[in-house]
Amino acid sequence: VFANYGIYLPRVAAAQAGVGTRVDSSEMLPGDLVFYSSGGGIDHVAIYIGNGQIIHSSTPIKGVVIGNAGYTTILGVRNVID
């Protein structure tokens, strides 16, 4: 998505967590990257779309889904647009 707008990000979530500007989770804006872990470090990233919702790749069966940003603990939020 971001590459379509000239914003190039590292391939993996852990590396993406180091780019852009840190944002407090209480101040997320649409387009911010939201980072999660299933244990042992950042391993999942989603895009915040507003109103407490994210869009992300869930599972091979479910594919890309919209869900609650707080479905699990948020480890970090980064703005890469500004």
Side-chain angles (χ1 to χ4, degrees), residues 13 25 28-29 31-36 42 44-49 53-54 56 69-78:
S25 61
M28 293 187 292
L29 295 174
D32 287 345
L33 299 179
V34 185
F35 298 95
Y36 303 93
I42 292 171
H44 189 67
V45 61
I47 302 171
Y48 186 68
I49 60 173
Q53 301 287 297
I54 55 169
H56 65 117
Y71 79 96
T72 191
T73 303
I74 295 172
L75 294 184
V77 180
R78 305 294 284 196

Side-chain angles (χ1 to χ4, degrees), residues 1-2 4-6 8 21 25 27 33 37 39 43 51 55 57 61 63 68 72 75-77 79 81:
V1 170
F2 288 95
N4 287 328
Y5 296 94
Y8 298 95
T21 305
S25 61
E27 298 178 4
L33 299 179
S37 174
D43 58 13
N51 296 319
I55 187 165
S57 180
I61 293 171
N68 184 326
T72 191
L75 294 184
V77 180
N79 177 291
I81 297 173

Side-chain angles (χ1 to χ4, degrees), residues 2-29:
F2 288 95
N4 287 328
Y5 296 94
I7 300 169
Y8 298 95
L9 299 170
R11 188 182 71 78
V12 297
Q16 291 173 8
V19 300
T21 305
R22 183 188 169 285
V23 175
D24 189 273
S25 61
S26 66
E27 298 178 4
M28 293 187 292
L29 295 174

